[in-house]
Amino acid sequence: MSGFSSSHSRLGDRIVLALVVLLSLVMVLPILWVIGLSLKENSALMADPNSVFHAPYIIGNYINIINTSSVFRWVLNSLIVSVSLTLGTLILSSLAGYGFARLNFPGRDILFVVVLFGLAVPEQAVLVARHQIFSMLGLHNTYPGLILPGLSSAFGVFLMTQYFRAIPRDLDEAALLDNASRLKIFWKVLLPLTLPAQATLGIFTFLGSWNDYFWPLISATKKDMYTLTVGLASTQTNFGQSEGIGYLMAQAVFAGAPILIIYLFFQKYIVTAVSGAAVR
């Protein structure tokens, strides 16, 4: 009877594994399709769409991107904006999360609810007001103009607050008995325990900032202040790039490669943050 149960369990494991592999292929195939399109001449794709499945493959589309006069400036702009925004969000969200989770002050719960309302307000609802404010302050076509709007992350505050709340308060009490200040408790004791949550928030923030097209399109009107997404879009010369699908796919791969590498490097922290293993 036990042998039958064991074989039945192994069969179930194999079925689950097969389903996981199948779903993985479903997720990977579109990426491989895009890469294949990016390695084909536009004329070949227009003559035969199925040519993506066979040679010859070229790297000319990527060479055309690299030869674009301002592409490395756009990459630099995206790096400056994304890294600055990620670091700023991590600092502010960690401090706010610690305050909401560990400190008692008048109106704390009401203020936290107000912060959560930010999750329900779409960016488009405040776009006109934001544009007018930044225009009056003369911040358009500047790095602060591209960075500042993203620093107010309601999701980041919520995530860090919940993570700080999951850390046992015994650690605070033990540190207070050793005459540690609140700042020292935050910096030396609690903050290192939130590294998985910070890695998760950092990845999501960097990903959103790197891929952001809407606000940079409005705020950056000078070519040398374009981010990579806006800059690559500005090089398209026909509607929907319908006559240059290979070049368009190469742009997508070129812009998406850095964030894919970053995600693969930090993905273990996301799993740890979701499972809560770091706190346990």
Side-chain angles (χ1 to χ4, degrees):
M1 186 68 179
S2 60
F4 175 77
S5 300
S6 177
S7 61
H8 185 71
S9 176
R10 287 197 297 269
L11 177 62
D13 292 340
R14 291 173 181 174
I15 293 175
V16 172
L17 179 60
L19 290 175
V20 170
V21 171
L22 180 61
L23 291 175
S24 299
L25 290 175
V26 171
M27 297 297 294
V28 171
L29 283 177
I31 300 176
L32 297 178
W33 182 278
V34 169
I35 295 175
L37 289 172
S38 71
L39 296 173
K40 299 295 294 186
E41 289 186 1
N42 297 323
S43 58
L45 292 173
M46 293 180 66
D48 181 14
N50 292 325
S51 65
V52 68
F53 299 109
H54 55 77
Y57 295 101
I58 63 169
I59 60 172
N61 293 321
Y62 293 96
I63 294 176
N64 291 336
I65 293 175
I66 295 174
N67 287 337
T68 303
S69 60
S70 300
V71 67
F72 291 107
R73 171 71 186 202
W74 299 337
V75 171
L76 178 62
N77 290 343
S78 290
L79 282 175
I80 292 174
V81 172
S82 299
V83 171
S84 300
L85 183 56
T86 301
L87 292 177
T89 299
L90 289 177
I91 294 172
L92 295 177
S93 297
S94 297
L95 289 171
Y98 173 77
F100 283 124
R102 301 309 241 217
L103 303 180
N104 293 317
F105 54 89
R108 182 191 65 176
D109 295 337
I110 297 176
L111 184 58
F112 186 63
V113 171
V114 172
V115 171
L116 292 183
F117 274 134
L119 294 173
V121 179
E123 181 183 4
Q124 292 79 2
V126 298
L127 184 63
V128 175
R130 180 193 296 173
H131 169 68
Q132 291 177 340
I133 292 173
F134 277 66
S135 180
M136 288 187 297
L137 295 176
L139 292 177
H140 285 318
N141 291 305
T142 65
Y143 289 122
L146 294 171
I147 296 170
L148 289 176
L151 292 179
S152 56
S153 173
F155 170 75
V157 174
F158 172 75
L159 176 66
M160 296 307 301
T161 299
Q162 297 304 108
Y163 211 85
F164 274 114
R165 283 176 176 172
I167 299 176
R169 288 186 173 271
D170 296 344
L171 298 176
D172 302 58
E173 296 173 358
L176 288 173
L177 291 175
D178 290 336
N179 296 321
S181 64
R182 283 289 182 181
L183 180 60
K184 187 174 182 179
I185 293 174
F186 166 75
W187 183 254
K188 296 288 187 179
V189 180
L190 300 182
L191 193 61
L193 297 177
T194 65
L195 288 180
Q198 291 184 58
T200 303
L201 177 59
I203 291 172
F204 288 152
T205 303
F206 189 92
L207 175 66
S209 177
W210 185 271
N211 286 330
D212 189 19
Y213 177 78
F214 199 46
W215 176 246
L217 179 66
I218 296 172
S219 182
T221 57
K222 295 180 179 179
K223 188 175 182 180
D224 60 348
M225 285 304 301
Y226 286 171
T227 57
L228 185 60
T229 51
V230 177
L232 291 178
S234 70
T235 64
Q236 298 180 15
T237 56
N238 59 81
F239 180 74
Q241 201 75 7
S242 58
E243 298 177 1
I245 188 67
Y247 183 63
L248 180 62
M249 293 300 102
Q251 288 180 326
V253 175
F254 185 82
I259 56 177
L260 178 61
I261 294 172
I262 291 175
Y263 175 79
L264 291 175
F265 185 76
F266 287 103
Q267 62 178 332
K268 62 180 181 179
Y269 294 104
I270 295 181
V271 176
T272 304
V274 172
S275 64
V279 176
R280 292 195 301 269

